[in-house]
C-alpha cells in the first residue's frame, strides 16, 4: 500500500470518528490538515507500537531484560522521525548538531564492546542480536542528520547550539575507566562501554540548551526528545533492577571473597542523569500536550 493510500485511509477513519463524536457531543481535536501533514510521522509511531508489541510477545522474553532492546528501538524511531522531517522540510532549525555528534560518539564507543563481546548484551531471546542492529541504525541516522545540518546550513541555528561540549568525551573516558565493570573480561572494551554510558548521560544537554537559549522547537524535535526520554527511562528501569550484575569480585588471601559494586551504582547514576537532564523539557512538553489536547499541536516554544 502506498503512502498516499494510507493517508487517505487515515483521513477516512478520522472523518468517521468526527461523525461518531458529533453524535455524542465529543469533539475530535485533530484536524484533517494535521493528519495529512504528519502522515509519515504517524506511520512511524504506528510501526513503533506494533514493533514493541510484536517484540515483547514473540521475539523477546516478556521480562525486564527486553527493556534494553525496546529502548534502542524507541530511540531509533526518534532519530528516524527527526531525519525524515529535516529532509522533507529541507530545514534543520531547532536541531542540535552537537547532540547528534555526541550520540554518534556514544554508539561508536559502545559498539567496540557489543560487536565483539556479549558481556553487556541482553541475554533475552533475539535481544542479543537486535540491540547492536538498532544501535548502529541510530548512529547511521545521526550521521545522516549531521550531513543535513551542513546541506541546509542556512537553517542551522549555530548561535543557539552554543553549549561547550568538548569536555564531555575526555571526562567520559576518564569516568569510563575509573568506574568500569568486568562483564567482558577485557579492560579496554569494559572501559569503552562505560564511557558510552557517560557520553549518553550528557548527550541531550546541547538539545535542551538550545531551548534555554530561546530556540523555537518544531513539533517533530519535541517528539524526538520525548522518544529519547522514553528510551532513557526504560534503560534506567532496567539498570535500577539489574545493577547487581555489574558487581566486582576479588578473592584476597586471608580475608576471603571481596565484592563491591561501584560500576553498578555508576550506571544507575549515569542513566538517572540522562533522565533528569530532560526532566524540565518533559514537564513543558506534557503541559503543552495537555493544553492543546494533542501532541500534533505542540508549538515547540521552550519557555524555560
Amino acid at each position: 500500500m502506498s503512502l498516499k493510500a494510507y493517508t487517505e485511509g487515515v483521513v477516512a477513519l478520522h472523518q468517521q470518528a468526527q461523525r461518531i463524536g458529533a453524535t455524542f457531543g465529543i469533539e475530535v481535536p485533530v484536524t484533517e490538515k494535521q493528519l495529512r501533514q504528519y502522515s509519515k510521522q504517524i506511520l512511524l509511531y504506528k510501526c513503533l507500537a506494533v514493533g514493541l508489541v510484536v517484540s515483547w510477545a514473540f521475539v523477546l522474553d516478556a521480562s525486564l531484560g527486553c527493556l534494553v532492546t525496546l529502548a534502542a528501538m524507541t530511540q531509533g524511531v526518534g532519530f528516524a522521525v527527526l531525519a525524515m522531517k529535516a529532509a522533507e522540510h529541507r530545514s534543520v532549525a531547532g536541531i542540535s548538531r552537537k547532540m547528534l555528534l555526541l550520540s554518534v560518539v556514544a554508539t561508536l564507543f559502545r559498539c567496540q564492546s557489543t560487536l565483539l563481546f556479549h558481556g553487556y548484551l541482553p541475554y533475552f531471546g533475539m535481544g542479543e542480536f537486535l540491540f547492536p542492529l538498532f544501535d548502529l541504525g541510530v548512529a547511521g541516522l545521526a550521521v545522516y542528520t549531521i550531513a543535513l545540518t551542513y546541506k541546509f546550513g542556512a537553517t542551522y541555528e549555530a548561535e543557539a547550539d552554543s553549549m561547550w561540549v568538548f569536555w564531555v568525551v575526555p571526562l567520559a573516558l576518564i569516568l569510563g575507566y575509573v568506574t568500569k565493570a568486568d562483564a567482558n573480561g577485557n579492560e579496554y572494551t569494559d572501559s569503552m562501554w562505560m564511557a558510552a554510558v557517560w557520553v549518553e548521560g550528557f548527550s541531550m544537554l546541547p538539545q535542551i540548551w538550545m531551548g534555554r537559549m530561546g530556540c523555537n522547537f518544531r513539533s517533530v524535535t519535541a517528539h524526538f526528545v520525548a522518544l529519547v526520554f522514553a528510551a532513557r527511562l526504560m534503560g534506567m528501569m532496567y539498570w535500577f533492577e539489574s545493577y547487581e550484575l555489574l558487581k566486582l569480585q576479588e578473592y584476597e588471601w586471608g580475608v576471603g571473597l571481596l565484592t563491591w559494586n561501584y560500576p553498578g551504582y555508576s550506571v544507575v547514576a549515569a542513566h538517572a542523569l540522562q533522565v533528569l537532564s530532560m526532566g524540565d523539557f518533559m514537564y513543558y512538553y506534557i503541559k503543552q500536550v495537555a493544553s492543546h489536547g494533542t501532541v500534533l499541536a505542540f508549538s515547540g516554544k521552550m519557555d524555560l
Side-chain angles (χ1 to χ4, degrees), residues 231-241 268 271-273 275:
R232 301 288 196 267
L233 187 61
M234 284 188 278
M236 187 181 73
M237 290 169 58
Y238 171 75
W239 285 112
F240 186 77
E241 293 293 332
V268 172
H271 280 80
L273 175 63
V275 172

Side-chain angles (χ1 to χ4, degrees), residues 159-171:
E159 297 80 8
D161 194 15
S162 58
M163 182 177 179
W164 195 68
V165 297
F166 298 104
W167 54 270
V168 171
V169 173
L171 178 62

Side-chain angles (χ1 to χ4, degrees), residues 44 48 71-87 92 95-97 99-105 107-108 111 132-150 152 224 227-228:
L44 273 176
L48 172 62
M73 185 187 303
T74 303
Q75 181 172 267
V77 170
F79 275 89
V81 168
L82 192 68
M84 179 190 69
K85 282 299 179 181
V92 291
I95 299 176
S96 170
R97 183 188 294 162
M99 173 274 297
L100 296 169
L101 287 169
L102 289 178
S103 298
V104 173
V105 169
T107 302
L108 292 178
C111 284
L133 292 178
F134 288 128
D135 214 18
L136 290 173
V138 166
L141 289 167
V143 170
Y144 173 68
T145 311
I146 290 171
L148 293 181
T149 65
Y150 289 99
F152 308 129
F224 160 73
L227 285 169
V228 173

